[in-house]
Amino acid sequence: MVGLGRQGNGERVGGVGSAAAQRALRVLPAVMIVLGFVSDLVSPPSFTGSPFFSAAPLIAAPLFSLRSTALTGVMASLALVVLHFYNSTFLKAESLTELATVLTVSGLAILINRVVRRSGARLASARGIAEAAQRAVLPTPAEQIAGLQVSARYEAAQADAFIGGDLYAVQDTPFGVRLAVGDVRGKGLGAVEAVAVVLGAFREAAETEPTLEGVARRLERALAREGVRRDSLDAVEGFTTCVLGEIPLGAEALRLVNRGHPEPLLLHAAGALEVLAPAEPALPLGMGELGAWPDRAQEWPFPEGATLLLYTDGLTEARDRAGVFYDPAARLRGRVFPGPEELLSALSDDVRRHTGGGTTDDMALLAVARPGEGQPERRRTVPVVRREET
């Protein structure tokens, strides 16, 4: 079996190479000036190094500050002037044309730098807004809830993306710890709206509904109501697969209602793994018009030392280069992890290795562990929500 290892705080495997390439690019303007100077000295009089001098500020424009870009243009121009004085060709028409070309390109480089910097500022602002929305819609759950260890994370398939149609929630209620993991079938802002509707309805229903079946009915009604009220929340985006869970107070038990979602996994302390498949398949939330049937929660033992893993289909639909889907049950069976955070970190790293560095769909992961006797409480040291970088 392929072992699951950890590679730092969720950094992409190709991050080191990308950083080295960026460092090389940052010294490239100076290299171009040196190449232009040397090539002009050693080449015949009919050849010139001005193309290298013109390229230097253009390379600096998207990489350096405005001051550094202007300084690069000045250095390239001075190098050209020094060469022409050395060759006693400064007053020739060709030499003046070359200098005018380098100065013009340097001016264009400064303009490009201003445009790039303004675009970067707007992107940074958009990222800040997206991060705020992420925290508002998918807040980080507490690491200890009613004696249970909890870890959750959202992994976006697209670089610099923050939140899409996947969701998770954990809540301590009068009826026990209740949780939800779901996947809205849609993209864009409509999917985010549907996520907000589902999570808002869940947080309210989890506190007031005495049964898990009642929570599912409330979510169904909320999606139907919002689908009528909002034109942007259409039938596709209202179609949501979801698993609802309940861990009753004072009982080593687990109840689940599965509405068309991938089956959760239960990892036992000794490495055994159980797939929690529903006895009867059910349609996703938001498809009540296709048929009505009573939800029935199923119950499983949830002993000390066991960890419940819930996930969206971004995990099971991750493929390797040969098109083989990722199988979390096969990859995790027989493995033992100190806690839920270590489980999610190892799982995320293994998915990246399986796919060669990225996935084609967002992935939400939620792990809840019941500590064994004498097992110490653990503290998380890595962020709960992570984004893939390129």
Side-chain angles (χ1 to χ4, degrees):
M1 179 178 293
V2 178
L4 301 181
R6 187 168 179 172
Q7 300 180 1
N9 298 329
E11 296 180 356
R12 186 182 291 274
V13 175
V16 176
S18 177
Q22 290 181 1
R23 287 194 296 269
L25 285 175
R26 295 189 71 84
V27 301
L28 189 56
V31 172
M32 299 300 288
I33 293 174
V34 172
L35 284 176
F37 197 90
V38 173
S39 66
D40 200 292
L41 286 176
V42 302
S43 62
S46 58
F47 292 90
T48 176
S50 61
F52 293 101
F53 297 129
S54 298
L58 287 177
I59 296 173
L63 301 175
F64 294 171
S65 66
L66 178 63
R67 180 178 179 182
S68 296
T69 300
L71 182 60
T72 301
V74 170
M75 295 301 296
S77 301
L78 287 177
L80 186 60
V81 169
V82 169
L83 283 171
H84 287 315
F85 270 112
Y86 178 80
N87 295 323
S88 301
T89 58
F90 182 72
L91 297 179
K92 291 186 176 181
E94 295 85 350
S95 302
L96 295 176
T97 300
E98 290 175 4
L99 180 59
T101 299
V102 173
L103 289 173
T104 302
V105 171
S106 297
L108 290 174
I110 291 173
L111 179 61
I112 292 171
N113 178 272
R114 293 294 300 274
V115 172
V116 170
R117 294 300 165 187
R118 287 177 180 175
S119 299
R122 287 194 294 267
L123 179 59
S125 176
R127 286 177 176 173
I129 293 171
E131 288 178 345
Q134 174 83 41
R135 290 190 294 268
V137 177
L138 289 180
T140 301
E143 61 184 46
Q144 295 284 334
I145 299 178
L148 301 172
Q149 297 174 350
V150 179
S151 181
R153 65 182 61 187
Y154 191 104
E155 304 235 359
Q158 183 179 356
D160 298 325
F162 290 88
I163 184 172
D166 291 9
L167 61 96
Y168 59 77
V170 187
Q171 194 163 325
D172 188 11
T173 75
F175 314 102
V177 174
R178 284 178 168 173
L179 47 92
V181 170
D183 185 1
V184 174
R185 297 306 182 186
K187 299 293 183 183
L189 293 177
V192 177
E193 288 183 40
V195 167
V197 169
V198 172
L199 288 177
F202 171 79
R203 288 167 184 146
E204 180 183 0
E207 290 287 341
T208 58
E209 290 289 341
T211 67
L212 205 57
E213 294 88 344
V215 175
R217 288 192 294 270
R218 289 276 289 274
L219 298 187
E220 185 78 51
R221 289 198 298 269
L223 282 173
R225 180 175 61 251
E226 293 299 318
V228 173
R229 190 172 69 86
R230 301 190 195 185
D231 292 336
S232 60
L233 193 65
D234 59 27
V236 174
E237 287 156 348
F239 158 29
T240 303
T241 68
C242 185
V243 170
L244 301 174
E246 178 182 274
I247 303 172
L249 298 173
E252 294 188 0
L254 166 68
R255 301 188 187 112
L256 297 176
V257 169
N258 192 326
R259 296 294 296 270
H261 199 76
E263 295 89 351
L265 304 178
L266 188 63
L267 287 72
H268 293 274
L273 184 144
E274 191 175 356
V275 179
L276 306 184
E280 297 180 4
L283 290 175
L285 297 170
M287 300 183 70
E289 71 280 0
L290 298 182
W293 64 93
D295 285 300
R296 292 186 176 86
Q298 287 183 253
E299 185 168 315
W300 283 270
F302 188 32
E304 290 185 352
T307 301
L308 174 67
L309 173 65
L310 301 102
Y311 52 88
T312 56
D313 60 8
L315 177 66
T316 53
E317 293 181 359
R319 304 188 191 191
D320 63 11
R321 294 178 180 176
V324 177
F325 289 105
Y326 187 84
D327 185 352
R331 309 282 283 206
L332 294 173
R333 184 171 281 110
R335 306 294 298 180
V336 177
F337 302 93
E341 178 61 33
E342 290 80 3
L343 166 61
L344 296 191
S345 295
L347 186 60
S348 298
D349 291 342
D350 195 46
V351 171
R352 282 192 290 273
R353 284 194 295 271
H354 180 78
T355 60
T359 60
T360 58
D361 194 8
D362 293 356
M363 180 172 63
L365 305 171
L366 175 64
V368 180
R370 184 186 296 278
E373 184 177 356
Q375 182 177 349
E377 294 186 359
R378 302 182 61 84
R379 297 288 175 183
R380 288 199 296 266
T381 58
V382 298
V384 171
V385 180
R386 304 187 302 178
R387 273 88 48 195
E388 294 299 325
E389 299 179 356
T390 58

PDB file of all heavy atoms in Angstrom, residues 151-170:
ATOM      1  N   SER A 151     -11.408  18.472  12.734  1.00  0.00           N
ATOM      2  CA  SER A 151     -10.562  19.153  11.755  1.00  0.00           C
ATOM      3  C   SER A 151     -11.313  19.223  10.437  1.00  0.00           C
ATOM      4  O   SER A 151     -11.986  18.265  10.051  1.00  0.00           O
ATOM      5  CB  SER A 151      -9.230  18.410  11.564  1.00  0.00           C
ATOM      6  OG  SER A 151      -8.411  19.089  10.627  1.00  0.00           O
ATOM      7  N   ALA A 152     -11.219  20.378   9.773  1.00  0.00           N
ATOM      8  CA  ALA A 152     -11.896  20.559   8.489  1.00  0.00           C
ATOM      9  C   ALA A 152     -11.031  21.414   7.595  1.00  0.00           C
ATOM     10  O   ALA A 152     -10.239  22.229   8.060  1.00  0.00           O
ATOM     11  CB  ALA A 152     -13.269  21.206   8.690  1.00  0.00           C
ATOM     12  N   ARG A 153     -11.200  21.237   6.304  1.00  0.00           N
ATOM     13  CA  ARG A 153     -10.488  22.077   5.354  1.00  0.00           C
ATOM     14  C   ARG A 153     -11.190  22.066   4.009  1.00  0.00           C
ATOM     15  O   ARG A 153     -11.914  21.135   3.670  1.00  0.00           O
ATOM     16  CB  ARG A 153      -9.029  21.650   5.201  1.00  0.00           C
ATOM     17  CG  ARG A 153      -8.840  20.272   4.609  1.00  0.00           C
ATOM     18  CD  ARG A 153      -7.352  19.937   4.555  1.00  0.00           C
ATOM     19  NE  ARG A 153      -6.790  19.934   5.882  1.00  0.00           N
ATOM     20  CZ  ARG A 153      -5.483  19.808   6.128  1.00  0.00           C
ATOM     21  NH1 ARG A 153      -4.642  19.705   5.132  1.00  0.00           N
ATOM     22  NH2 ARG A 153      -5.033  19.799   7.358  1.00  0.00           N
ATOM     23  N   TYR A 154     -10.926  23.142   3.289  1.00  0.00           N
ATOM     24  CA  TYR A 154     -11.474  23.306   1.942  1.00  0.00           C
ATOM     25  C   TYR A 154     -10.294  23.465   0.998  1.00  0.00           C
ATOM     26  O   TYR A 154      -9.490  24.366   1.163  1.00  0.00           O
ATOM     27  CB  TYR A 154     -12.371  24.543   1.897  1.00  0.00           C
ATOM     28  CG  TYR A 154     -13.190  24.659   0.626  1.00  0.00           C
ATOM     29  CD1 TYR A 154     -14.539  24.359   0.621  1.00  0.00           C
ATOM     30  CD2 TYR A 154     -12.610  25.076  -0.567  1.00  0.00           C
ATOM     31  CE1 TYR A 154     -15.293  24.473  -0.540  1.00  0.00           C
ATOM     32  CE2 TYR A 154     -13.351  25.179  -1.729  1.00  0.00           C
ATOM     33  CZ  TYR A 154     -14.699  24.880  -1.705  1.00  0.00           C
ATOM     34  OH  TYR A 154     -15.442  24.985  -2.848  1.00  0.00           O
ATOM     35  N   GLU A 155     -10.207  22.587   0.006  1.00  0.00           N
ATOM     36  CA  GLU A 155      -9.114  22.640  -0.957  1.00  0.00           C
ATOM     37  C   GLU A 155      -9.682  22.993  -2.320  1.00  0.00           C
ATOM     38  O   GLU A 155     -10.454  22.232  -2.903  1.00  0.00           O
ATOM     39  CB  GLU A 155      -8.390  21.287  -1.018  1.00  0.00           C
ATOM     40  CG  GLU A 155      -7.882  20.829   0.320  1.00  0.00           C
ATOM     41  CD  GLU A 155      -6.388  20.538   0.308  1.00  0.00           C
ATOM     42  OE1 GLU A 155      -5.778  20.685  -0.764  1.00  0.00           O
ATOM     43  OE2 GLU A 155      -5.874  20.164   1.346  1.00  0.00           O
ATOM     44  N   ALA A 156      -9.337  24.187  -2.817  1.00  0.00           N
ATOM     45  CA  ALA A 156      -9.831  24.634  -4.115  1.00  0.00           C
ATOM     46  C   ALA A 156      -8.973  24.063  -5.228  1.00  0.00           C
ATOM     47  O   ALA A 156      -7.747  24.047  -5.136  1.00  0.00           O
ATOM     48  CB  ALA A 156      -9.838  26.158  -4.181  1.00  0.00           C
ATOM     49  N   ALA A 157      -9.631  23.590  -6.274  1.00  0.00           N
ATOM     50  CA  ALA A 157      -8.887  23.041  -7.407  1.00  0.00           C
ATOM     51  C   ALA A 157      -8.203  24.144  -8.189  1.00  0.00           C
ATOM     52  O   ALA A 157      -7.104  23.964  -8.706  1.00  0.00           O
ATOM     53  CB  ALA A 157      -9.838  22.263  -8.327  1.00  0.00           C
ATOM     54  N   GLN A 158      -8.825  25.317  -8.281  1.00  0.00           N
ATOM     55  CA  GLN A 158      -8.274  26.423  -9.051  1.00  0.00           C
ATOM     56  C   GLN A 158      -7.413  27.290  -8.165  1.00  0.00           C
ATOM     57  O   GLN A 158      -7.788  27.640  -7.052  1.00  0.00           O
ATOM     58  CB  GLN A 158      -9.399  27.265  -9.653  1.00  0.00           C
ATOM     59  CG  GLN A 158      -8.914  28.405 -10.543  1.00  0.00           C
ATOM     60  CD  GLN A 158     -10.053  29.194 -11.133  1.00  0.00           C
ATOM     61  OE1 GLN A 158     -11.220  28.838 -10.938  1.00  0.00           O
ATOM     62  NE2 GLN A 158      -9.743  30.253 -11.849  1.00  0.00           N
ATOM     63  N   ALA A 159      -6.226  27.622  -8.653  1.00  0.00           N
ATOM     64  CA  ALA A 159      -5.331  28.479  -7.895  1.00  0.00           C
ATOM     65  C   ALA A 159      -5.992  29.817  -7.611  1.00  0.00           C
ATOM     66  O   ALA A 159      -6.667  30.403  -8.450  1.00  0.00           O
ATOM     67  CB  ALA A 159      -4.030  28.704  -8.666  1.00  0.00           C
ATOM     68  N   ASP A 160      -5.783  30.341  -6.381  1.00  0.00           N
ATOM     69  CA  ASP A 160      -6.298  31.621  -5.927  1.00  0.00           C
ATOM     70  C   ASP A 160      -7.811  31.634  -5.761  1.00  0.00           C
ATOM     71  O   ASP A 160      -8.405  32.684  -5.560  1.00  0.00           O
ATOM     72  CB  ASP A 160      -5.891  32.762  -6.865  1.00  0.00           C
ATOM     73  CG  ASP A 160      -4.392  32.923  -6.928  1.00  0.00           C
ATOM     74  OD1 ASP A 160      -3.743  32.709  -5.895  1.00  0.00           O
ATOM     75  OD2 ASP A 160      -3.874  33.244  -8.016  1.00  0.00           O
ATOM     76  N   ALA A 161      -8.463  30.473  -5.893  1.00  0.00           N
ATOM     77  CA  ALA A 161      -9.891  30.406  -5.599  1.00  0.00           C
ATOM     78  C   ALA A 161     -10.064  30.107  -4.117  1.00  0.00           C
ATOM     79  O   ALA A 161      -9.219  29.481  -3.495  1.00  0.00           O
ATOM     80  CB  ALA A 161     -10.567  29.328  -6.433  1.00  0.00           C
ATOM     81  N   PHE A 162     -11.178  30.532  -3.549  1.00  0.00           N
ATOM     82  CA  PHE A 162     -11.352  30.366  -2.116  1.00  0.00           C
ATOM     83  C   PHE A 162     -12.555  29.516  -1.772  1.00  0.00           C
ATOM     84  O   PHE A 162     -12.455  28.593  -0.990  1.00  0.00           O
ATOM     85  CB  PHE A 162     -11.467  31.748  -1.441  1.00  0.00           C
ATOM     86  CG  PHE A 162     -10.181  32.501  -1.437  1.00  0.00           C
ATOM     87  CD1 PHE A 162      -9.840  33.304  -2.507  1.00  0.00           C
ATOM     88  CD2 PHE A 162      -9.298  32.372  -0.391  1.00  0.00           C
ATOM     89  CE1 PHE A 162      -8.643  33.990  -2.512  1.00  0.00           C
ATOM     90  CE2 PHE A 162      -8.098  33.052  -0.392  1.00  0.00           C
ATOM     91  CZ  PHE A 162      -7.774  33.857  -1.467  1.00  0.00           C
ATOM     92  N   ILE A 163     -13.691  29.807  -2.345  1.00  0.00           N
ATOM     93  CA  ILE A 163     -14.867  29.054  -1.968  1.00  0.00           C
ATOM     94  C   ILE A 163     -15.702  28.777  -3.205  1.00  0.00           C
ATOM     95  O   ILE A 163     -15.800  29.606  -4.109  1.00  0.00           O
ATOM     96  CB  ILE A 163     -15.706  29.822  -0.914  1.00  0.00           C
ATOM     97  CG1 ILE A 163     -16.885  28.981  -0.455  1.00  0.00           C
ATOM     98  CG2 ILE A 163     -16.158  31.164  -1.451  1.00  0.00           C
ATOM     99  CD1 ILE A 163     -17.623  29.583   0.711  1.00  0.00           C
ATOM    100  N   GLY A 164     -16.273  27.608  -3.273  1.00  0.00           N
ATOM    101  CA  GLY A 164     -17.122  27.236  -4.398  1.00  0.00           C
ATOM    102  C   GLY A 164     -18.395  26.612  -3.896  1.00  0.00           C
ATOM    103  O   GLY A 164     -19.076  27.156  -3.036  1.00  0.00           O
ATOM    104  N   GLY A 165     -18.715  25.406  -4.392  1.00  0.00           N
ATOM    105  CA  GLY A 165     -19.975  24.785  -4.058  1.00  0.00           C
ATOM    106  C   GLY A 165     -19.895  23.707  -2.996  1.00  0.00           C
ATOM    107  O   GLY A 165     -20.906  23.061  -2.718  1.00  0.00           O
ATOM    108  N   ASP A 166     -18.725  23.475  -2.395  1.00  0.00           N
ATOM    109  CA  ASP A 166     -18.601  22.479  -1.342  1.00  0.00           C
ATOM    110  C   ASP A 166     -18.800  23.136   0.019  1.00  0.00           C
ATOM    111  O   ASP A 166     -18.502  24.318   0.200  1.00  0.00           O
ATOM    112  CB  ASP A 166     -17.232  21.803  -1.392  1.00  0.00           C
ATOM    113  CG  ASP A 166     -17.075  20.926  -2.622  1.00  0.00           C
ATOM    114  OD1 ASP A 166     -17.949  20.989  -3.505  1.00  0.00           O
ATOM    115  OD2 ASP A 166     -16.087  20.186  -2.708  1.00  0.00           O
ATOM    116  N   LEU A 167     -19.292  22.370   0.983  1.00  0.00           N
ATOM    117  CA  LEU A 167     -19.591  22.946   2.283  1.00  0.00           C
ATOM    118  C   LEU A 167     -19.379  21.931   3.391  1.00  0.00           C
ATOM    119  O   LEU A 167     -19.396  20.722   3.168  1.00  0.00           O
ATOM    120  CB  LEU A 167     -21.033  23.462   2.316  1.00  0.00           C
ATOM    121  CG  LEU A 167     -22.143  22.415   2.092  1.00  0.00           C
ATOM    122  CD1 LEU A 167     -22.710  21.887   3.411  1.00  0.00           C
ATOM    123  CD2 LEU A 167     -23.274  23.010   1.247  1.00  0.00           C
ATOM    124  N   TYR A 168     -19.159  22.447   4.588  1.00  0.00           N
ATOM    125  CA  TYR A 168     -19.099  21.617   5.792  1.00  0.00           C
ATOM    126  C   TYR A 168     -19.546  22.464   6.983  1.00  0.00           C
ATOM    127  O   TYR A 168     -19.493  23.699   6.942  1.00  0.00           O
ATOM    128  CB  TYR A 168     -17.691  21.065   6.030  1.00  0.00           C
ATOM    129  CG  TYR A 168     -16.625  22.123   6.184  1.00  0.00           C
ATOM    130  CD1 TYR A 168     -16.480  22.854   7.365  1.00  0.00           C
ATOM    131  CD2 TYR A 168     -15.747  22.409   5.140  1.00  0.00           C
ATOM    132  CE1 TYR A 168     -15.520  23.825   7.502  1.00  0.00           C
ATOM    133  CE2 TYR A 168     -14.781  23.377   5.257  1.00  0.00           C
ATOM    134  CZ  TYR A 168     -14.661  24.082   6.442  1.00  0.00           C
ATOM    135  OH  TYR A 168     -13.714  25.068   6.563  1.00  0.00           O
ATOM    136  N   ALA A 169     -20.017  21.798   8.036  1.00  0.00           N
ATOM    137  CA  ALA A 169     -20.428  22.484   9.254  1.00  0.00           C
ATOM    138  C   ALA A 169     -20.414  21.489  10.407  1.00  0.00           C
ATOM    139  O   ALA A 169     -20.735  20.310  10.228  1.00  0.00           O
ATOM    140  CB  ALA A 169     -21.816  23.103   9.098  1.00  0.00           C
ATOM    141  N   VAL A 170     -20.030  21.967  11.568  1.00  0.00           N
ATOM    142  CA  VAL A 170     -20.057  21.176  12.807  1.00  0.00           C
ATOM    143  C   VAL A 170     -20.656  22.048  13.892  1.00  0.00           C
ATOM    144  O   VAL A 170     -20.286  23.221  14.032  1.00  0.00           O
ATOM    145  CB  VAL A 170     -18.651  20.714  13.229  1.00  0.00           C
ATOM    146  CG1 VAL A 170     -18.740  19.765  14.420  1.00  0.00           C
ATOM    147  CG2 VAL A 170     -17.915  20.064  12.080  1.00  0.00           C
TER     148      VAL A 170
END
